[in-house]
Each structure stands twice: as structure tokens, then as C-alpha cells.
Amino acid sequence: MPVSLTRQTLQITSMALLLMAPIVSSATIKATTNSASPATPRLYEQIQARTYPADLEKNEVWVRIDLDERQLLVYRGREIVSTIPHVAIGSNGAKAIRFEGSKVTPVGEFRIEVVNPQSQFNRFYGIDYPNLDVAQAALDQGLIPRREYQHIEQYWLRYGRAPANTSLGGNIGIHGLGGRS
């Protein structure tokens, strides 16, 4: 399904992917009648609310990976246009901050930096991990030294993309299994 995109960070000729974390946004929660407070959504509604990118354009193509259902949902705006079931994640689960070689899938909002249609995995959609938000969180939690944060920040300023050589990892992406079954 070829898709034409307008957002500069997502200009690719096949599907654009935006990996979304299961974070609840107040804009996506529908309030229901609640005797305590009519405008306040119930907790289960907040937890089950779909999350959309804050700056979503009407026909923008993006992907949400549902870790609970293990499926990849392709959206155009707020409409689901395709669903891919049976999504696998790293053998050590998913976390907001991952380290090189940890076999952890990063969770968060990322942008596609590169598409390799001839990857060993059949097709590889490289994401911008670690981005500056991830690096800042890792620094704040004492997981990386300031020197490494500065390296990541300087690389972003110079090249406009994530460096591949950090302790947080690099060359992270969404891909198939390739020749494995």
C-alpha cells in the first residue's frame, strides 16, 4: 500500500511508521456520565483510551504497536487502514529505556529515519532511538553519564538523527524475521 507523506521526518515511499507508547492523552479520552464528576472520565476509560500523536495531521500515516494485543495498527489520521497481528518484541520485553544488546524493545514515540527495503529482515524501518527525550531520561535516572548525553545531543545537532554507537543502543527498528521462521 504506497502512501504519500507530507511530514518531512516521515518522507518515505511505502508505509510511514510512528511507534506509539501506551500513554493516555487527555485529548483522546471521552468523558462519560459519572455521578462524582460528569466531566471526569472513569479510570478504566483512561487506561483503555486510544493514544494519538499530539500533532497528528488529518491524513498522516502512522503506526501504533499495541503491546498488550501484540499487533501493529496502521492508521491514516485516526482511521485504522491495516492491522498486522502476531507482532513480536524483544525477548526481554519492552521498556522506555533499553541498552545495547539488552534484547528489549524501546517504548515511546519515535520517527522513522531510514527504510532499508533490502535488509536481511526483508524490510527494515529504522527509528530515531535513542532520541533526545530518551537520552535525557537516561541521564536524569543516572543510567548514562553526562558525557554520553552530550555525545547524543551533539550528534543530533550535527546530523539530525540518532547515533548508532551509544550504550542505549542504536540501529533500532521495526522489521520482519527475514529468513528465520
Side-chain angles (χ1 to χ4, degrees), residues 58-138:
K58 183 178 180 182
N59 288 315
E60 184 174 0
V61 176
W62 60 284
V63 164
R64 178 176 186 270
I65 296 177
D66 185 326
L67 296 176
D68 292 331
E69 298 294 325
R70 298 291 173 114
Q71 62 183 356
L72 183 144
L73 305 158
V74 180
Y75 286 80
R76 181 181 301 275
R78 293 183 178 232
E79 179 184 341
I80 296 172
V81 295
S82 183
T83 302
I84 299 171
H86 314 298
V87 171
I89 62 171
S91 59
N92 288 325
K95 297 178 184 171
I97 298 175
R98 63 154 331 262
F99 290 95
E100 183 177 20
S102 65
K103 298 185 188 226
V104 168
T105 296
V107 176
E109 185 173 327
F110 304 99
R111 303 280 180 202
I112 296 298
E113 292 185 321
V114 65
V115 176
N116 181 354
Q118 295 164 355
S119 159
Q120 66 180 356
F121 302 111
N122 186 21
R123 184 167 288 136
F124 180 86
Y125 297 90
I127 63 173
D128 64 344
Y129 184 93
N131 59 31
L132 291 177
D133 292 336
V134 170
Q136 183 66 56

Side-chain angles (χ1 to χ4, degrees), residues 1 9 28 31-32 36 43 61 82 99 106 120 132 143 146 152 157 162 172 178:
M1 170 179 63
T9 57
T28 64
T32 61
L43 181 59
V61 176
S82 183
F99 290 95
Q120 66 180 356
L132 291 177
L143 300 173
R146 177 158 300 282
I152 294 168
L157 290 172
I172 307 297

Side-chain angles (χ1 to χ4, degrees), residues 96-104 106 129-131 134-153 155 162-172:
I97 298 175
R98 63 154 331 262
F99 290 95
E100 183 177 20
S102 65
K103 298 185 188 226
V104 168
Y129 184 93
N131 59 31
V134 170
Q136 183 66 56
L139 177 65
D140 292 347
Q141 295 174 36
L143 300 173
I144 62 171
R146 177 158 300 282
R147 181 187 57 213
E148 184 167 8
Y149 173 81
Q150 290 169 336
H151 164 70
I152 294 168
E153 182 180 47
Y155 196 94
N165 57 341
T166 75
S167 66
L168 298 172
N171 293 324
I172 307 297

Side-chain angles (χ1 to χ4, degrees), residues 24 29 32 34 40-49:
V24 176
I29 300 170
T32 61
N34 182 337
T40 304
R42 295 181 180 146
L43 181 59
Y44 75 89
E45 292 168 321
Q46 292 178 26
I47 294 169
Q48 292 178 342

Side-chain angles (χ1 to χ4, degrees), residues 3-20:
V3 176
S4 147
L5 303 168
T6 58
R7 187 180 290 223
Q8 184 178 359
T9 57
L10 295 176
Q11 287 182 341
I12 56 177
T13 56
S14 57
M15 287 189 304
L17 305 176
L18 176 62
L19 182 64
M20 293 297 300

